[in-house]
PDB file of all heavy atoms in Angstrom:
ATOM      1  N   TYR A 123      10.295  -0.200 -35.737  1.00 92.00           N
ATOM      2  CA  TYR A 123      11.557   0.031 -36.533  1.00 92.00           C
ATOM      3  C   TYR A 123      12.384   1.055 -35.686  1.00 92.00           C
ATOM      4  O   TYR A 123      11.912   1.776 -34.882  1.00 92.00           O
ATOM      5  CB  TYR A 123      11.322   0.609 -37.804  1.00 92.00           C
ATOM      6  CG  TYR A 123      10.449   1.947 -37.746  1.00 92.00           C
ATOM      7  CD1 TYR A 123      11.041   3.203 -37.548  1.00 92.00           C
ATOM      8  CD2 TYR A 123       9.083   1.962 -37.822  1.00 92.00           C
ATOM      9  CE1 TYR A 123      10.393   4.432 -37.477  1.00 92.00           C
ATOM     10  CE2 TYR A 123       8.392   3.182 -37.780  1.00 92.00           C
ATOM     11  CZ  TYR A 123       9.019   4.329 -37.581  1.00 92.00           C
ATOM     12  OH  TYR A 123       8.276   5.474 -37.446  1.00 92.00           O
ATOM     13  N   ALA A 124      13.741   0.898 -35.952  1.00 90.00           N
ATOM     14  CA  ALA A 124      14.670   1.886 -35.321  1.00 90.00           C
ATOM     15  C   ALA A 124      15.170   2.805 -36.386  1.00 90.00           C
ATOM     16  O   ALA A 124      15.500   4.013 -36.124  1.00 90.00           O
ATOM     17  CB  ALA A 124      15.757   1.190 -34.545  1.00 90.00           C
ATOM     18  N   GLY A 125      15.227   2.302 -37.624  1.00 91.00           N
ATOM     19  CA  GLY A 125      15.959   3.074 -38.622  1.00 91.00           C
ATOM     20  C   GLY A 125      15.948   2.443 -39.980  1.00 91.00           C
ATOM     21  O   GLY A 125      15.073   1.625 -40.237  1.00 91.00           O
ATOM     22  N   GLY A 126      16.967   2.679 -40.736  1.00 93.00           N
ATOM     23  CA  GLY A 126      17.120   2.259 -42.072  1.00 93.00           C
ATOM     24  C   GLY A 126      16.854   0.772 -42.326  1.00 93.00           C
ATOM     25  O   GLY A 126      16.155   0.333 -43.320  1.00 93.00           O
ATOM     26  N   LEU A 127      17.370  -0.048 -41.482  1.00 95.00           N
ATOM     27  CA  LEU A 127      17.228  -1.552 -41.675  1.00 95.00           C
ATOM     28  C   LEU A 127      15.799  -1.841 -41.776  1.00 95.00           C
ATOM     29  O   LEU A 127      15.261  -2.694 -42.546  1.00 95.00           O
ATOM     30  CB  LEU A 127      17.905  -2.392 -40.506  1.00 95.00           C
ATOM     31  CG  LEU A 127      17.828  -3.921 -40.679  1.00 95.00           C
ATOM     32  CD1 LEU A 127      18.623  -4.450 -41.765  1.00 95.00           C
ATOM     33  CD2 LEU A 127      18.166  -4.576 -39.285  1.00 95.00           C
ATOM     34  N   PHE A 129      13.211   0.091 -42.541  1.00 97.00           N
ATOM     35  CA  PHE A 129      12.494   0.618 -43.750  1.00 97.00           C
ATOM     36  C   PHE A 129      12.844  -0.193 -44.912  1.00 97.00           C
ATOM     37  O   PHE A 129      12.086  -0.445 -45.720  1.00 97.00           O
ATOM     38  CB  PHE A 129      12.761   2.155 -43.840  1.00 97.00           C
ATOM     39  CG  PHE A 129      11.905   2.894 -42.947  1.00 97.00           C
ATOM     40  CD1 PHE A 129      12.427   3.296 -41.742  1.00 97.00           C
ATOM     41  CD2 PHE A 129      10.559   3.089 -43.154  1.00 97.00           C
ATOM     42  CE1 PHE A 129      11.579   4.043 -40.749  1.00 97.00           C
ATOM     43  CE2 PHE A 129       9.798   3.776 -42.295  1.00 97.00           C
ATOM     44  CZ  PHE A 129      10.234   4.236 -41.069  1.00 97.00           C
ATOM     45  N   LEU A 130      14.124  -0.778 -44.834  1.00 98.00           N
ATOM     46  CA  LEU A 130      14.419  -1.491 -45.982  1.00 98.00           C
ATOM     47  C   LEU A 130      13.599  -2.805 -46.000  1.00 98.00           C
ATOM     48  O   LEU A 130      13.113  -3.064 -47.112  1.00 98.00           O
ATOM     49  CB  LEU A 130      16.009  -1.945 -45.792  1.00 98.00           C
ATOM     50  CG  LEU A 130      16.701  -2.602 -46.933  1.00 98.00           C
ATOM     51  CD1 LEU A 130      16.676  -4.091 -46.824  1.00 98.00           C
ATOM     52  CD2 LEU A 130      16.299  -2.075 -48.357  1.00 98.00           C
ATOM     53  N   ASP A 133      10.026  -1.763 -47.008  1.00 98.00           N
ATOM     54  CA  ASP A 133       9.934  -1.555 -48.573  1.00 98.00           C
ATOM     55  C   ASP A 133      10.137  -2.760 -49.309  1.00 98.00           C
ATOM     56  O   ASP A 133       9.449  -2.866 -50.333  1.00 98.00           O
ATOM     57  CB  ASP A 133      10.990  -0.452 -48.923  1.00 98.00           C
ATOM     58  CG  ASP A 133      10.668   0.974 -48.454  1.00 98.00           C
ATOM     59  OD1 ASP A 133       9.558   1.143 -47.638  1.00 98.00           O
ATOM     60  OD2 ASP A 133      11.166   1.936 -48.841  1.00 98.00           O
ATOM     61  N   VAL A 408      14.257   2.001 -52.596  1.00 98.00           N
ATOM     62  CA  VAL A 408      13.077   2.329 -51.788  1.00 98.00           C
ATOM     63  C   VAL A 408      11.841   2.192 -52.530  1.00 98.00           C
ATOM     64  O   VAL A 408      11.801   2.189 -53.757  1.00 98.00           O
ATOM     65  CB  VAL A 408      13.215   3.863 -51.383  1.00 98.00           C
ATOM     66  CG1 VAL A 408      14.425   3.984 -50.385  1.00 98.00           C
ATOM     67  CG2 VAL A 408      13.231   4.885 -52.491  1.00 98.00           C
ATOM     68  N   LYS A 412       5.319   4.193 -52.065  1.00 97.00           N
ATOM     69  CA  LYS A 412       5.179   4.611 -50.675  1.00 97.00           C
ATOM     70  C   LYS A 412       5.856   6.075 -50.528  1.00 97.00           C
ATOM     71  O   LYS A 412       5.310   6.884 -49.782  1.00 97.00           O
ATOM     72  CB  LYS A 412       5.857   3.699 -49.739  1.00 97.00           C
ATOM     73  CG  LYS A 412       5.884   4.238 -48.330  1.00 97.00           C
ATOM     74  CD  LYS A 412       6.819   3.315 -47.413  1.00 97.00           C
ATOM     75  CE  LYS A 412       7.179   3.904 -46.157  1.00 97.00           C
ATOM     76  NZ  LYS A 412       6.046   4.008 -45.167  1.00 97.00           N
ATOM     77  N   TRP A 413       7.103   6.304 -51.119  1.00 98.00           N
ATOM     78  CA  TRP A 413       7.793   7.507 -50.806  1.00 98.00           C
ATOM     79  C   TRP A 413       7.613   8.691 -51.666  1.00 98.00           C
ATOM     80  O   TRP A 413       7.928   9.776 -51.432  1.00 98.00           O
ATOM     81  CB  TRP A 413       9.202   7.196 -50.674  1.00 98.00           C
ATOM     82  CG  TRP A 413       9.608   6.248 -49.634  1.00 98.00           C
ATOM     83  CD1 TRP A 413       9.848   4.990 -49.540  1.00 98.00           C
ATOM     84  CD2 TRP A 413       9.645   6.648 -48.167  1.00 98.00           C
ATOM     85  NE1 TRP A 413      10.043   4.513 -48.229  1.00 98.00           N
ATOM     86  CE2 TRP A 413       9.980   5.502 -47.422  1.00 98.00           C
ATOM     87  CE3 TRP A 413       9.366   7.876 -47.484  1.00 98.00           C
ATOM     88  CZ2 TRP A 413       9.968   5.541 -46.024  1.00 98.00           C
ATOM     89  CZ3 TRP A 413       9.538   7.920 -46.059  1.00 98.00           C
ATOM     90  CH2 TRP A 413       9.743   6.768 -45.320  1.00 98.00           C
ATOM     91  N   ALA A 501      18.358  13.973 -41.506  1.00 98.00           N
ATOM     92  CA  ALA A 501      17.463  13.272 -40.637  1.00 98.00           C
ATOM     93  C   ALA A 501      17.756  11.813 -40.658  1.00 98.00           C
ATOM     94  O   ALA A 501      17.733  11.250 -41.936  1.00 98.00           O
ATOM     95  CB  ALA A 501      16.052  13.510 -40.973  1.00 98.00           C
ATOM     96  N   ARG A 502      18.114  11.252 -39.714  1.00 96.00           N
ATOM     97  CA  ARG A 502      18.501   9.751 -39.604  1.00 96.00           C
ATOM     98  C   ARG A 502      18.792   9.372 -38.221  1.00 96.00           C
ATOM     99  O   ARG A 502      18.744  10.318 -37.305  1.00 96.00           O
ATOM    100  CB  ARG A 502      19.617   9.515 -40.478  1.00 96.00           C
ATOM    101  CG  ARG A 502      20.817  10.396 -40.385  1.00 96.00           C
ATOM    102  CD  ARG A 502      21.996  10.186 -41.272  1.00 96.00           C
ATOM    103  NE  ARG A 502      21.450  10.079 -42.696  1.00 96.00           N
ATOM    104  CZ  ARG A 502      21.518  11.158 -43.491  1.00 96.00           C
ATOM    105  NH1 ARG A 502      21.929  12.373 -42.954  1.00 96.00           N
ATOM    106  NH2 ARG A 502      21.156  11.099 -44.762  1.00 96.00           N
ATOM    107  N   ARG A 503      19.125   8.162 -37.845  1.00 95.00           N
ATOM    108  CA  ARG A 503      19.510   7.801 -36.548  1.00 95.00           C
ATOM    109  C   ARG A 503      20.799   8.668 -36.121  1.00 95.00           C
ATOM    110  O   ARG A 503      21.646   8.989 -37.031  1.00 95.00           O
ATOM    111  CB  ARG A 503      19.946   6.384 -36.465  1.00 95.00           C
ATOM    112  CG  ARG A 503      18.716   5.409 -36.493  1.00 95.00           C
ATOM    113  CD  ARG A 503      19.176   4.002 -36.340  1.00 95.00           C
ATOM    114  NE  ARG A 503      20.144   3.577 -37.366  1.00 95.00           N
ATOM    115  CZ  ARG A 503      21.344   3.262 -37.016  1.00 95.00           C
ATOM    116  NH1 ARG A 503      21.838   3.217 -35.900  1.00 95.00           N
ATOM    117  NH2 ARG A 503      22.165   2.929 -38.188  1.00 95.00           N
ATOM    118  N   TYR A 507      28.833   7.585 -36.181  1.00 94.00           N
ATOM    119  CA  TYR A 507      29.537   7.555 -37.435  1.00 94.00           C
ATOM    120  C   TYR A 507      28.839   8.398 -38.507  1.00 94.00           C
ATOM    121  O   TYR A 507      29.399   8.734 -39.559  1.00 94.00           O
ATOM    122  CB  TYR A 507      29.786   6.083 -38.003  1.00 94.00           C
ATOM    123  CG  TYR A 507      28.456   5.412 -38.564  1.00 94.00           C
ATOM    124  CD1 TYR A 507      28.214   5.654 -39.882  1.00 94.00           C
ATOM    125  CD2 TYR A 507      27.735   4.706 -37.855  1.00 94.00           C
ATOM    126  CE1 TYR A 507      27.152   4.989 -40.569  1.00 94.00           C
ATOM    127  CE2 TYR A 507      26.589   4.074 -38.408  1.00 94.00           C
ATOM    128  CZ  TYR A 507      26.313   4.298 -39.786  1.00 94.00           C
ATOM    129  OH  TYR A 507      25.109   3.605 -40.294  1.00 94.00           O
ATOM    130  N   LYS A 508      27.668   8.733 -38.226  1.00 96.00           N
ATOM    131  CA  LYS A 508      26.797   9.579 -39.243  1.00 96.00           C
ATOM    132  C   LYS A 508      27.173  11.026 -39.087  1.00 96.00           C
ATOM    133  O   LYS A 508      26.813  11.882 -39.909  1.00 96.00           O
ATOM    134  CB  LYS A 508      25.398   9.312 -39.134  1.00 96.00           C
ATOM    135  CG  LYS A 508      25.037   7.904 -39.518  1.00 96.00           C
ATOM    136  CD  LYS A 508      23.469   7.727 -39.633  1.00 96.00           C
ATOM    137  CE  LYS A 508      23.160   6.188 -39.913  1.00 96.00           C
ATOM    138  NZ  LYS A 508      22.593   6.012 -41.171  1.00 96.00           N
ATOM    139  N   TYR A 572      11.683  11.870 -34.375  1.00 95.00           N
ATOM    140  CA  TYR A 572      11.643  11.531 -35.753  1.00 95.00           C
ATOM    141  C   TYR A 572      11.125  10.169 -36.101  1.00 95.00           C
ATOM    142  O   TYR A 572      11.474   9.172 -35.390  1.00 95.00           O
ATOM    143  CB  TYR A 572      13.075  11.685 -36.336  1.00 95.00           C
ATOM    144  CG  TYR A 572      13.162  11.483 -37.854  1.00 95.00           C
ATOM    145  CD1 TYR A 572      12.548  12.330 -38.729  1.00 95.00           C
ATOM    146  CD2 TYR A 572      14.042  10.513 -38.345  1.00 95.00           C
ATOM    147  CE1 TYR A 572      12.804  12.206 -40.034  1.00 95.00           C
ATOM    148  CE2 TYR A 572      14.164  10.363 -39.723  1.00 95.00           C
ATOM    149  CZ  TYR A 572      13.502  11.140 -40.651  1.00 95.00           C
ATOM    150  OH  TYR A 572      13.573  11.010 -41.976  1.00 95.00           O
ATOM    151  N   GLY A 573      10.205  10.073 -37.107  1.00 93.00           N
ATOM    152  CA  GLY A 573       9.617   8.716 -37.389  1.00 93.00           C
ATOM    153  C   GLY A 573       9.155   8.728 -38.855  1.00 93.00           C
ATOM    154  O   GLY A 573       9.484   9.731 -39.547  1.00 93.00           O
ATOM    155  N   GLU A 574       8.376   7.781 -39.100  1.00 94.00           N
ATOM    156  CA  GLU A 574       7.984   7.691 -40.499  1.00 94.00           C
ATOM    157  C   GLU A 574       7.242   8.862 -41.035  1.00 94.00           C
ATOM    158  O   GLU A 574       7.393   9.332 -42.138  1.00 94.00           O
ATOM    159  CB  GLU A 574       7.158   6.365 -40.736  1.00 94.00           C
ATOM    160  CG  GLU A 574       6.946   6.048 -42.183  1.00 94.00           C
ATOM    161  CD  GLU A 574       5.487   6.440 -42.645  1.00 94.00           C
ATOM    162  OE1 GLU A 574       4.673   6.883 -41.848  1.00 94.00           O
ATOM    163  OE2 GLU A 574       5.279   6.154 -43.884  1.00 94.00           O
ATOM    164  N   GLN A 575       6.330   9.498 -40.148  1.00 94.00           N
ATOM    165  CA  GLN A 575       5.561  10.538 -40.676  1.00 94.00           C
ATOM    166  C   GLN A 575       6.387  11.739 -41.022  1.00 94.00           C
ATOM    167  O   GLN A 575       6.218  12.284 -42.121  1.00 94.00           O
ATOM    168  CB  GLN A 575       4.478  10.910 -39.583  1.00 94.00           C
ATOM    169  CG  GLN A 575       3.441  11.800 -40.116  1.00 94.00           C
ATOM    170  CD  GLN A 575       2.234  12.004 -39.038  1.00 94.00           C
ATOM    171  OE1 GLN A 575       2.438  11.841 -37.930  1.00 94.00           O
ATOM    172  NE2 GLN A 575       1.160  12.344 -39.567  1.00 94.00           N
ATOM    173  N   PHE A 576       7.269  12.161 -40.199  1.00 96.00           N
ATOM    174  CA  PHE A 576       8.079  13.324 -40.493  1.00 96.00           C
ATOM    175  C   PHE A 576       9.116  13.022 -41.438  1.00 96.00           C
ATOM    176  O   PHE A 576       9.608  13.850 -42.145  1.00 96.00           O
ATOM    177  CB  PHE A 576       8.616  13.967 -39.208  1.00 96.00           C
ATOM    178  CG  PHE A 576       7.820  15.113 -38.795  1.00 96.00           C
ATOM    179  CD1 PHE A 576       6.696  14.933 -38.114  1.00 96.00           C
ATOM    180  CD2 PHE A 576       8.147  16.367 -39.389  1.00 96.00           C
ATOM    181  CE1 PHE A 576       5.859  16.080 -37.806  1.00 96.00           C
ATOM    182  CE2 PHE A 576       7.326  17.558 -39.059  1.00 96.00           C
ATOM    183  CZ  PHE A 576       6.175  17.364 -38.216  1.00 96.00           C
ATOM    184  N   ALA A 577       9.503  11.825 -41.567  1.00 97.00           N
ATOM    185  CA  ALA A 577      10.494  11.362 -42.701  1.00 97.00           C
ATOM    186  C   ALA A 577       9.708  11.793 -44.043  1.00 97.00           C
ATOM    187  O   ALA A 577      10.386  12.316 -45.028  1.00 97.00           O
ATOM    188  CB  ALA A 577      10.834   9.912 -42.602  1.00 97.00           C
ATOM    189  N   GLN A 578       8.471  11.384 -44.187  1.00 97.00           N
ATOM    190  CA  GLN A 578       7.774  11.742 -45.368  1.00 97.00           C
ATOM    191  C   GLN A 578       7.773  13.214 -45.601  1.00 97.00           C
ATOM    192  O   GLN A 578       8.217  13.729 -46.623  1.00 97.00           O
ATOM    193  CB  GLN A 578       6.326  11.189 -45.204  1.00 97.00           C
ATOM    194  CG  GLN A 578       6.114   9.782 -45.252  1.00 97.00           C
ATOM    195  CD  GLN A 578       6.195   9.073 -46.543  1.00 97.00           C
ATOM    196  OE1 GLN A 578       6.428   9.659 -47.630  1.00 97.00           O
ATOM    197  NE2 GLN A 578       5.809   7.832 -46.511  1.00 97.00           N
ATOM    198  N   VAL A 581      11.662  14.316 -46.543  1.00 98.00           N
ATOM    199  CA  VAL A 581      12.113  13.956 -47.937  1.00 98.00           C
ATOM    200  C   VAL A 581      11.336  14.635 -48.939  1.00 98.00           C
ATOM    201  O   VAL A 581      11.750  14.687 -50.163  1.00 98.00           O
ATOM    202  CB  VAL A 581      12.260  12.465 -48.123  1.00 98.00           C
ATOM    203  CG1 VAL A 581      13.302  11.907 -47.001  1.00 98.00           C
ATOM    204  CG2 VAL A 581      10.962  11.748 -48.101  1.00 98.00           C
ATOM    205  N   TRP A 587      19.268  17.274 -49.619  1.00 98.00           N
ATOM    206  CA  TRP A 587      19.503  16.200 -48.591  1.00 98.00           C
ATOM    207  C   TRP A 587      20.898  16.027 -48.213  1.00 98.00           C
ATOM    208  O   TRP A 587      21.633  15.724 -49.125  1.00 98.00           O
ATOM    209  CB  TRP A 587      18.890  14.927 -49.003  1.00 98.00           C
ATOM    210  CG  TRP A 587      18.536  14.007 -47.907  1.00 98.00           C
ATOM    211  CD1 TRP A 587      19.237  12.855 -47.546  1.00 98.00           C
ATOM    212  CD2 TRP A 587      17.450  13.994 -46.948  1.00 98.00           C
ATOM    213  NE1 TRP A 587      18.696  12.248 -46.458  1.00 98.00           N
ATOM    214  CE2 TRP A 587      17.651  12.961 -46.130  1.00 98.00           C
ATOM    215  CE3 TRP A 587      16.419  14.958 -46.759  1.00 98.00           C
ATOM    216  CZ2 TRP A 587      16.656  12.793 -45.117  1.00 98.00           C
ATOM    217  CZ3 TRP A 587      15.480  14.695 -45.719  1.00 98.00           C
ATOM    218  CH2 TRP A 587      15.728  13.582 -44.887  1.00 98.00           C
ATOM    219  N   ASN A 589      24.284  14.278 -46.380  1.00 98.00           N
ATOM    220  CA  ASN A 589      24.603  12.979 -45.801  1.00 98.00           C
ATOM    221  C   ASN A 589      26.066  13.092 -45.725  1.00 98.00           C
ATOM    222  O   ASN A 589      26.883  13.085 -46.722  1.00 98.00           O
ATOM    223  CB  ASN A 589      24.158  11.909 -46.813  1.00 98.00           C
ATOM    224  CG  ASN A 589      24.458  10.494 -46.338  1.00 98.00           C
ATOM    225  OD1 ASN A 589      24.325  10.215 -45.068  1.00 98.00           O
ATOM    226  ND2 ASN A 589      24.948   9.641 -47.217  1.00 98.00           N
ATOM    227  N   GLU A 596      28.787   3.731 -44.021  1.00 94.00           N
ATOM    228  CA  GLU A 596      27.372   3.700 -44.493  1.00 94.00           C
ATOM    229  C   GLU A 596      27.338   2.497 -45.508  1.00 94.00           C
ATOM    230  O   GLU A 596      27.732   2.651 -46.599  1.00 94.00           O
ATOM    231  CB  GLU A 596      27.039   4.953 -45.097  1.00 94.00           C
ATOM    232  CG  GLU A 596      25.644   5.206 -45.362  1.00 94.00           C
ATOM    233  CD  GLU A 596      24.775   5.412 -44.142  1.00 94.00           C
ATOM    234  OE1 GLU A 596      24.596   4.559 -43.454  1.00 94.00           O
ATOM    235  OE2 GLU A 596      24.417   6.580 -44.015  1.00 94.00           O
ATOM    236  N   CYS A 598      24.740   1.406 -47.100  1.00 97.00           N
ATOM    237  CA  CYS A 598      24.095   1.795 -48.270  1.00 97.00           C
ATOM    238  C   CYS A 598      23.495   3.302 -48.065  1.00 97.00           C
ATOM    239  O   CYS A 598      23.839   4.209 -48.680  1.00 97.00           O
ATOM    240  CB  CYS A 598      23.017   0.933 -48.734  1.00 97.00           C
ATOM    241  SG  CYS A 598      22.050   1.327 -50.209  1.00 97.00           S
ATOM    242  N   GLY A 599      22.663   3.290 -47.046  1.00 96.00           N
ATOM    243  CA  GLY A 599      21.839   4.555 -46.881  1.00 96.00           C
ATOM    244  C   GLY A 599      20.716   4.580 -47.825  1.00 96.00           C
ATOM    245  O   GLY A 599      20.787   4.246 -48.997  1.00 96.00           O
ATOM    246  N   THR A 600      19.461   5.056 -47.248  1.00 98.00           N
ATOM    247  CA  THR A 600      18.275   5.022 -48.182  1.00 98.00           C
ATOM    248  C   THR A 600      17.522   6.333 -48.161  1.00 98.00           C
ATOM    249  O   THR A 600      16.764   6.616 -49.007  1.00 98.00           O
ATOM    250  CB  THR A 600      17.341   3.864 -47.881  1.00 98.00           C
ATOM    251  OG1 THR A 600      16.998   3.938 -46.469  1.00 98.00           O
ATOM    252  CG2 THR A 600      17.711   2.570 -48.219  1.00 98.00           C
ATOM    253  N   SER A 601      17.706   7.163 -47.014  1.00 98.00           N
ATOM    254  CA  SER A 601      16.952   8.373 -46.881  1.00 98.00           C
ATOM    255  C   SER A 601      17.245   9.244 -48.189  1.00 98.00           C
ATOM    256  O   SER A 601      16.283   9.903 -48.655  1.00 98.00           O
ATOM    257  CB  SER A 601      17.174   9.021 -45.639  1.00 98.00           C
ATOM    258  OG  SER A 601      18.394   9.384 -45.492  1.00 98.00           O
ATOM    259  N   GLY A 602      18.489   9.294 -48.585  1.00 98.00           N
ATOM    260  CA  GLY A 602      18.794  10.214 -49.749  1.00 98.00           C
ATOM    261  C   GLY A 602      18.138   9.757 -51.045  1.00 98.00           C
ATOM    262  O   GLY A 602      17.798  10.492 -51.963  1.00 98.00           O
ATOM    263  N   MET A 603      17.820   8.352 -51.161  1.00 98.00           N
ATOM    264  CA  MET A 603      17.012   7.856 -52.299  1.00 98.00           C
ATOM    265  C   MET A 603      15.688   8.387 -52.287  1.00 98.00           C
ATOM    266  O   MET A 603      15.126   8.717 -53.265  1.00 98.00           O
ATOM    267  CB  MET A 603      17.010   6.341 -52.237  1.00 98.00           C
ATOM    268  CG  MET A 603      18.309   5.683 -52.395  1.00 98.00           C
ATOM    269  SD  MET A 603      18.022   3.954 -52.063  1.00 98.00           S
ATOM    270  CE  MET A 603      19.712   3.263 -52.237  1.00 98.00           C
ATOM    271  N   LYS A 604      14.988   8.415 -51.078  1.00 98.00           N
ATOM    272  CA  LYS A 604      13.708   8.867 -50.899  1.00 98.00           C
ATOM    273  C   LYS A 604      13.549  10.380 -51.317  1.00 98.00           C
ATOM    274  O   LYS A 604      12.657  10.814 -52.017  1.00 98.00           O
ATOM    275  CB  LYS A 604      13.192   8.765 -49.456  1.00 98.00           C
ATOM    276  CG  LYS A 604      13.232   7.366 -48.976  1.00 98.00           C
ATOM    277  CD  LYS A 604      13.047   7.299 -47.372  1.00 98.00           C
ATOM    278  CE  LYS A 604      13.323   5.926 -46.820  1.00 98.00           C
ATOM    279  NZ  LYS A 604      13.555   6.020 -45.331  1.00 98.00           N
ATOM    280  N   HIS A 612      20.834  15.143 -53.684  1.00 98.00           N
ATOM    281  CA  HIS A 612      21.624  14.605 -52.544  1.00 98.00           C
ATOM    282  C   HIS A 612      22.948  15.433 -52.601  1.00 98.00           C
ATOM    283  O   HIS A 612      23.626  15.526 -53.561  1.00 98.00           O
ATOM    284  CB  HIS A 612      21.847  13.212 -52.918  1.00 98.00           C
ATOM    285  CG  HIS A 612      22.243  12.311 -51.733  1.00 98.00           C
ATOM    286  ND1 HIS A 612      23.009  11.128 -51.895  1.00 98.00           N
ATOM    287  CD2 HIS A 612      21.877  12.383 -50.435  1.00 98.00           C
ATOM    288  CE1 HIS A 612      23.079  10.626 -50.685  1.00 98.00           C
ATOM    289  NE2 HIS A 612      22.407  11.362 -49.711  1.00 98.00           N
ATOM    290  N   TRP A 619      25.319   3.952 -51.297  1.00 98.00           N
ATOM    291  CA  TRP A 619      24.699   4.052 -52.633  1.00 98.00           C
ATOM    292  C   TRP A 619      25.285   5.143 -53.467  1.00 98.00           C
ATOM    293  O   TRP A 619      25.118   5.154 -54.692  1.00 98.00           O
ATOM    294  CB  TRP A 619      23.339   4.133 -52.527  1.00 98.00           C
ATOM    295  CG  TRP A 619      22.598   5.419 -52.054  1.00 98.00           C
ATOM    296  CD1 TRP A 619      22.628   5.955 -50.796  1.00 98.00           C
ATOM    297  CD2 TRP A 619      22.004   6.476 -52.879  1.00 98.00           C
ATOM    298  NE1 TRP A 619      22.089   7.211 -50.818  1.00 98.00           N
ATOM    299  CE2 TRP A 619      21.632   7.540 -52.149  1.00 98.00           C
ATOM    300  CE3 TRP A 619      21.767   6.495 -54.245  1.00 98.00           C
ATOM    301  CZ2 TRP A 619      21.097   8.668 -52.532  1.00 98.00           C
ATOM    302  CZ3 TRP A 619      21.101   7.611 -54.742  1.00 98.00           C
ATOM    303  CH2 TRP A 619      20.731   8.639 -53.900  1.00 98.00           C
TER     304      TRP A 619
HETATM  305  C1  PLP B 801      14.682   5.916 -44.580  1.00 70.15           C
HETATM  306  C2  PLP B 801      14.684   6.209 -43.131  1.00 70.15           C
HETATM  307  C3  PLP B 801      15.879   5.959 -42.369  1.00 70.15           C
HETATM  308  C4  PLP B 801      17.166   5.530 -43.087  1.00 70.15           C
HETATM  309  O1  PLP B 801      17.964   6.591 -43.288  1.00 70.15           O
HETATM  310  P1  PLP B 801      19.384   6.462 -43.705  1.00 70.15           P
HETATM  311  O2  PLP B 801      19.757   7.719 -44.408  1.00 70.15           O
HETATM  312  O3  PLP B 801      19.493   5.345 -44.512  1.00 70.15           O
HETATM  313  O4  PLP B 801      20.168   6.326 -42.396  1.00 70.15           O
HETATM  314  C5  PLP B 801      15.785   6.232 -41.045  1.00 70.15           C
HETATM  315  N1  PLP B 801      14.730   6.587 -40.382  1.00 70.15           N
HETATM  316  C6  PLP B 801      13.538   6.847 -41.102  1.00 70.15           C
HETATM  317  C7  PLP B 801      12.297   7.339 -40.404  1.00 70.15           C
HETATM  318  C8  PLP B 801      13.516   6.647 -42.494  1.00 70.15           C
HETATM  319  O5  PLP B 801      12.359   6.822 -43.182  1.00 70.15           O
END
Side-chain angles (χ1 to χ4, degrees):
Y123 58 85
L127 179 72
F129 283 96
L130 189 269
D133 283 11
V408 296
K412 172 188 168 75
W413 293 104
R502 47 180 60 86
R503 287 182 304 116
Y507 77 87
K508 294 190 184 248
Y572 185 59
E574 190 260 355
Q575 193 174 21
F576 261 84
Q578 296 275 8
V581 300
W587 197 257
N589 181 43
E596 191 73 283
C598 180
T600 50
S601 60
M603 300 173 182
K604 301 167 192 167
H612 202 209
W619 75 281

